[in-house]
Amino acid sequence: MAVGELSNYVTLSAVLFFLGVAGVILRRNPLVMLMGVELMLNASNLALVAFSRAWGSMVGHIFAFLVITVAAAEAAIGLAIIVVVFHRSARVDVDDVTILKG
Amino acid sequence: MITAAALQHAITAADWEALRPIIWIAGGALAVLLFDLCLPRGAHRISSVLLGVTSLVWAGGFLVRNYHTPYAAFGGAFLSDGFSVVFQGAIVLATLLSLLFVYTFEERISSAGAVALLLWAASGAMLMTGAGNLLILFLGLELLSLALYALCGMASRRAAREAALKYLLLSSMASAVMLYGMVLLFGVTGSVNFSAFLAPPPGNPLYLVALGLFYVGVAFKLGLVPFHIWMPDVFEGAPLPVTAFMSVATKAGMLAVLARIIYVATPAGLANKVLLPIWVVAALSMIIGNLAALSQSNLKRLLAYSGIGQIGYIVAAFAGATALGLRYALFYLLAYLFMTLGAFAVIAALSDQADEGARLVSYAGLAHRRPMLAAAMSFFLIGLAGLPPTVGFMGKLLLLSSVLNAGYISLAVLLIVGTAISIYAYAKIIRVMYAPMRHEVVAGAMSATWPLPWIAIAICSVAVLGLGLYPLVPSAVLPLVK
């Protein structure tokens, strides 16, 4: 893979990563925040596969499979926790989660 | 890099030998769930705890055997050296003691599920201590974190669920940041092995960005200032056994990763650049953690802030990257384990299923109602404050000597200042317990009579006193290089 081509992939993955960070920090809906985290993980996947191609190594591909699996488990547990926290309220908003004050 | 040769590397019995403690604990978790199906109602709680304890003790036996036979298992993916065995031992001990508090879970919570998740979390943390490449590190970290997200919410209190949600959102974001750092490290060096990071290609700015992201994740999971905001909330909300587990086992896993990176994967030319932020973060944690502990009225919160300070002391010893610092940091980790879990054991002895005895008001005049418990709590707090004749004093003395030995005079001064502040925080609880009783006993929180926390209190007291008088500093702890 040419150097310019690699840097395109890495730039795209960095943009996706920062979109994910912005999603977690700026949005107040826990579902959207969780989607932000997933976006960050997928940005990593894209970079992993691109680097793996560039280095001619299989490790990055294997790593990406691991990350996909973990992301699925995280989404399952995350959605379960969100359901448990918000099942009695009509609104899903982290600003309502205020018993513990850090 | 995994090459074709490494893939053909035959897996021998010695490879499984290195993983055996982890396999026993993960298998124990399955056994706990299976027995829960077969046994009659009423026997669930005790059988889960017994099975969990058995598999942990068994794993501990294998650890003792592995201590003197360092081995790079699975082509260097999992390093079973003296270093990781000591950390794994600390995790096993912490899990064992936390299991003794499991009866404080509410009746409607499946105790088998909780015990199994605790065991899986422990095996994830143990995997991290021996990780020789980023894949195993990420796998261990997520096994630990995912189990803990679920464990934090295992109570019907709203606070527990809030804690689970906060921990999930913040911690998974930190994991993702750390993962991106790992990915960039792979991109820069072309390898996922820690040893490859010793020789980064010169002049690539991405290397420092990658390390920065990686360290942010590490600092978050360790709860170091300025990434500590989540800790008090999660510690307060989570069920007591989970808080106790998190205060030591999670930290031990991450400390092992941090130490391995500092000691075997930091290029000598970059050491100054990399170690500077580490000692700044350690100094901030020692001061701010202890300052914030001063104003807490909930013991779990107070122990969270004190934990931030105590982990800061340990990281300060790493910041010099000396062999002495590593040995003394490991000793202090064991000291912290016994002192903190001892304090949690006293809280557990004062808890019942309706109410965890963590509010400071319910400790008013405790010395007149439960003199033994008040004395035990005072002893552990004196240890945490670093006063003799406890292991806290001895450990802090050794830490101080290693920090001075590394040439960080200002860090040593801050360590002493942090300790001085913490003495006020701990003395406040002791004063409340020994003050004359002004009002009647606060309802609840004082009735439980289970023997299990007493076992934990006994183990911790003996260890805190014994290790204080005869400090057994582990010797063969320098991490293996592969």
Side-chain angles (χ1 to χ4, degrees), chain B residues 85 130 220 284 406 416 452 461:
Chain B
V85 167
F220 179 93
L284 281 175
I416 295 170
L452 289 182
S461 319

Side-chain angles (χ1 to χ4, degrees), chain A residues 13 55 74 97 99-101, chain B residues 142 162 166 180 187 301:
Chain A
S13 110
W55 284 101
E74 199 161 80
V97 180
I99 293 179
L100 298 166
K101 294 202 175 71
Chain B
E142 290 302 303
E162 273 195 29
K166 284 187 178 177
Y180 205 70
R301 269 188 104 82

Side-chain angles (χ1 to χ4, degrees), chain B residues 2-3 54 66 77 87 90 126 234 239 280 283 290 309 322 333 342 402-403 407 411 414 430 465:
Chain B
I2 295 178
T3 57
T54 313
N66 282 352
F87 273 112
M126 289 167 74
V234 173
V280 170
N290 284 322
T322 58
L333 177 68
S402 82
V403 171
L411 197 56
L414 286 173
I430 299 179
L465 188 64

Side-chain angles (χ1 to χ4, degrees), chain A residues 10 13-14 17 21 24-25 30 33-34 37 40-41 43-44 47-48 51-52 55 57 59-60 62-63 66-67 70 73-74 77-78 81-82 84-87 94 96-102, chain B residues 1-2 134-135 138-139 142 146-147 149-150 158-159 161-166 168-169 172-173 175-177 179-180 182-184 186-190 192 206 213 229 233-234 236-237 301 305:
Chain A
V10 176
S13 110
F17 181 77
V21 173
V24 181
I25 292 176
M33 291 166 83
L34 207 59
V37 173
M40 291 162 79
L41 293 178
S44 306
L48 270 174
F51 284 136
S52 206
W55 284 101
S57 137
V59 186
I62 299 170
F63 207 156
L66 184 69
V67 174
V70 165
E74 199 161 80
I77 293 180
I81 289 175
I82 291 172
V84 171
V85 172
F86 292 100
H87 73 293
V94 282
D96 299 341
V97 180
T98 50
I99 293 179
L100 298 166
K101 294 202 175 71
Chain B
M1 194 191 308
I2 295 178
L134 296 174
L135 271 88
F138 187 66
L139 184 66
E142 290 302 303
L146 292 175
Y149 302 151
R158 241 188 103 78
R161 292 166 180 185
E162 273 195 29
L165 183 69
K166 284 187 178 177
L168 166 83
L169 291 174
S172 59
M173 181 177 167
S175 292
V177 169
L179 174 69
Y180 205 70
M182 295 187 208
V183 170
L184 292 183
F186 167 64
V188 172
T189 62
V192 289
L206 217 51
L213 289 173
I229 312 289
D233 279 3
V234 173
E236 183 188 346
R301 269 188 104 82
Y305 278 115

Side-chain angles (χ1 to χ4, degrees), chain B residues 254-316:
Chain B
M254 218 17 146
L255 280 172
V257 171
L258 178 63
R260 204 183 279 279
I261 290 279
I262 290 178
Y263 281 85
V264 305
T266 303
L270 283 175
N272 282 335
K273 250 184 207 164
V274 174
L275 293 181
L276 179 72
I278 291 179
W279 94 247
V280 170
V281 160
L284 281 175
S285 309
M286 292 190 291
I287 301 295
I288 294 179
N290 284 322
L291 269 180
L294 286 176
S295 57
Q296 300 307 321
S297 60
N298 180 304
L299 254 74
K300 281 158 91 185
R301 269 188 104 82
L302 189 141
L303 284 172
Y305 278 115
S306 109
I308 294 170
Q310 307 274 348
I311 299 293
Y313 301 145
I314 297 179
V315 174

Side-chain angles (χ1 to χ4, degrees), chain B residues 52-184:
Chain B
V53 168
T54 313
S55 70
L56 285 165
V57 169
W58 209 257
F62 287 113
L63 281 178
V64 173
R65 249 176 43 187
N66 282 352
Y67 180 66
H68 289 293
T69 51
Y71 184 69
F74 302 101
F78 184 80
L79 305 170
S80 172
D81 41 11
F83 166 88
S84 84
V85 167
V86 173
F87 273 112
Q88 290 182 55
I91 292 164
V92 167
L93 266 173
T95 316
L96 194 74
L97 292 170
S98 312
L99 277 189
L100 298 181
F101 316 148
V102 156
Y103 75 98
T104 57
F105 272 109
E106 292 158 35
E107 201 61 58
R108 55 177 282 279
I109 300 289
S110 147
S111 52
V115 170
L117 281 172
L118 271 174
L119 291 178
W120 276 319
S123 53
M126 289 167 74
L127 213 51
M128 287 166 74
T129 66
N133 66 31
L134 296 174
L135 271 88
I136 303 294
L137 165 58
F138 187 66
L139 184 66
L141 174 66
E142 290 302 303
L143 185 53
L144 171 67
S145 301
L146 292 175
L148 278 177
Y149 302 151
L151 277 168
C152 279
M154 284 191 118
S156 52
R157 283 172 292 126
R158 241 188 103 78
R161 292 166 180 185
E162 273 195 29
L165 183 69
K166 284 187 178 177
Y167 190 41
L168 166 83
L169 291 174
L170 294 174
S171 178
S172 59
M173 181 177 167
S175 292
V177 169
M178 198 173 158
L179 174 69
Y180 205 70
M182 295 187 208
V183 170
L184 292 183

Side-chain angles (χ1 to χ4, degrees), chain B residues 67 86 323-332 334 394-395 398 467 470-477:
Chain B
Y67 180 66
V86 173
L324 203 63
L326 180 57
R327 288 181 60 195
Y328 292 164
L330 272 171
F331 179 70
Y332 197 78
L334 293 178
M394 185 53 81
L398 295 177
L467 284 175
Y470 302 98
L472 290 170
V473 181
S475 52
V477 293

